[in-house]
Amino acid sequence: MTNAIYPGSFDPVTNGHLDIVGRAAPLFDELIISVYDVPQKQLMFSVEERVELMKKAVANLANIRVVSYSGLTIAFAREMNARVIVRGLRMISDFEREFEMALMNKKLAPDIELVCLMTSLEYQFISSSLLKEACQLGGDISNLVPKHVADALVEKFGLANK
Ligand code: ADP
């Protein structure tokens, strides 16, 4: 039995994340989407909100669980009985960051493997941070995220009645 975790901030979940989830889930017995509670970046949504938005986005998919975690990702992987960490790669800068993290993780936990899936071409430019910026400036982001996420963003930015 091979379980995997897919860790991230997911602030908020985008169609790019969901593409990775949809492609990774069939490769494992269980894919545990792991929402990191306090990443070192400014967040728009609380960890509870990010988990809820993700749960709703994957409600129709089988063999997926959504949980939050804190602390070391490898420690959480072990706790979940997961031998694999899944990540998505969009560009060279993602690769460099993942490579560094993977080397560190390998030192700390040689038993855990990293599996990186390349983004699908149509999602390459989607990032949660750019998405928030575009939405705040009034851009139409409805094709980039599930509807309930677009609604949550509009509400957060107080754009609903504008
Ligand atoms: P983190 O803060 O850990 O990078 P993110 O929520 O930004 O968390 O991303 C989680 C994972 O999803 C990362 O591996 C990231 O590279 C990947 N990812 C983000 N956006 C996309 C996308 N559009 N296509 C493919 N992978 C993506």
Side-chain angles (χ1 to χ4, degrees):
M1 174 146 175
T2 307
N3 293 343
I5 64 166
Y6 176 34
S9 317
F10 306 112
D11 184 47
V13 53
T14 69
N15 288 346
H17 295 132
L18 293 175
D19 173 58
I20 299 292
V21 168
R23 288 161 54 204
L27 306 178
F28 302 101
D29 291 295
E30 186 177 37
L31 182 71
I32 302 154
I33 302 174
S34 309
V35 181
Y36 189 46
D37 64 350
V38 225
Q40 286 180 347
K41 48 168 126 170
Q42 241 191 336
L43 292 170
M44 164 148 283
F45 294 96
S46 70
V47 66
E48 292 81 13
E49 289 172 321
R50 284 177 283 136
V51 166
E52 275 319 303
L53 291 173
M54 181 61 91
K55 275 190 176 162
K56 207 164 166 185
V58 299
N60 294 331
L61 301 175
N63 78 314
I64 287 177
R65 203 164 11 134
V66 184
V67 289
S68 64
Y69 77 104
S70 51
L72 269 183
T73 300
I74 44 157
F76 183 68
R78 287 214 175 106
E79 202 182 304
M80 293 290 106
N81 207 16
R83 275 181 38 214
V84 175
I85 296 176
V86 170
R87 297 281 286 173
L89 292 182
R90 282 160 299 182
M91 52 199 116
I92 302 280
S93 55
D94 276 351
F95 172 79
E96 286 175 352
R97 193 162 149 261
E98 292 303 330
F99 192 52
E100 272 181 7
M101 283 199 298
L103 290 179
M104 172 59 91
N105 283 343
K106 204 70 192 159
K107 274 271 170 240
L108 299 173
D111 51 317
I112 293 180
E113 289 297 342
L114 174 71
V115 169
C116 288
L117 300 186
M118 304 300 145
T119 183
S120 301
L121 214 48
E122 65 263 47
Y123 302 121
Q124 183 173 8
F125 66 97
I126 305 182
S127 74
S128 298
S129 48
L130 267 183
L131 185 89
K132 286 180 278 193
E133 211 175 311
C135 181
Q136 186 168 24
L137 297 172
D140 179 8
I141 45 107
S142 56
N143 288 333
L144 312 180
V145 291
K147 169 136 187 7
H148 69 279
V149 175
D151 291 346
L153 277 165
V154 164
E155 197 184 321
K156 269 281 176 204
F157 284 121
L159 296 169
N161 299 317
K162 291 192 179 164

